[in-house]
Amino acid sequence: MMDPFDDTYFMKRALQEAEIAYQKGEIPVGAVVVIDQKIIARAHNLTETLVDVTAHAEMQAITAAANYLGGKYLRGCTLYVTLEPCQMCAGALYWSQLSKIVYAASDPHRGYEVMGTKLHPKTAVVRGVLQDQAEDLLNKFFIEKRNLN
């Protein structure tokens, strides 16, 4: 029997957050944090809304999850995010000590891997879950952005 709460299920929730960001005119990146098969934080990019370069979906999700748990460490938690974290977010994820990160689309220009940033050694990484859907939304956003300018 298939687990109804697999990586695809939770990545779809992160994609819903990315869609909210898209509707707000934000770069469409969404994230959710899960512990024991329960979503404890939902977030999306808010850099334009908050006029804050650090308001990435992952940063918002880390803060919300830490507030929910009442502590700064997110051991036992999984972050689902629609785009590979940048080096800033990877640094914050390192310090939060997440157990697992699952991302959809790779970022070949600004992703933590191409920048050489390391995650916590105990953090597992899964890449490419619903990659096509995440890439389609990002591409749609940037095509529209280019056509407006």
Side-chain angles (χ1 to χ4, degrees):
M1 185 172 156
M2 194 167 123
D3 181 0
F5 299 110
D6 62 1
D7 287 344
T8 301
Y9 173 85
F10 291 114
M11 188 60 75
K12 285 179 182 176
R13 307 289 107 29
L15 282 165
Q16 289 172 343
E17 289 296 318
E19 185 65 39
I20 293 168
Y22 172 82
Q23 296 299 327
K24 291 180 176 181
E26 298 276 359
I27 295 174
V29 177
V32 297
V33 177
V34 175
I35 191 168
D36 298 329
Q37 305 288 36
K38 179 183 178 188
I39 295 173
I40 62 169
R42 298 172 185 270
H44 52 272
N45 269 1
L46 290 172
T47 58
E48 300 298 326
T49 302
L50 298 178
V51 193
D52 180 356
V53 297
T54 68
H56 291 193
E58 301 95 322
M59 302 296 275
Q60 302 297 311
I62 290 167
T63 299
N67 286 338
Y68 178 90
L69 294 172
K72 63 184 178 181
Y73 297 117
L74 303 181
R75 295 180 197 111
C77 292
T78 299
L79 171 77
Y80 293 86
V81 62
T82 59
L83 182 63
E84 176 187 350
C86 69
Q87 66 180 354
M88 173 187 70
C89 292
L93 294 165
Y94 179 98
W95 290 111
S96 72
Q97 299 182 21
L98 263 123
S99 293
K100 183 177 171 185
I101 296 171
V102 180
Y103 67 82
S106 293
D107 186 344
H109 304 290
R110 293 183 183 90
Y112 79 91
E113 293 192 79
V114 76
M115 300 295 260
T117 307
K118 302 286 186 212
L119 295 173
H120 194 278
K122 292 183 179 176
T123 301
V125 178
V126 176
R127 300 161 184 84
V129 175
L130 299 181
Q131 178 177 338
D132 291 344
Q133 293 90 323
E135 287 176 349
D136 288 349
L137 185 57
L138 285 161
N139 289 335
K140 179 180 166 184
F141 175 82
F142 285 112
I143 287 167
E144 289 174 5
K145 193 103 171 136
R146 271 187 236 107
N147 289 338
L148 290 175
N149 293 329

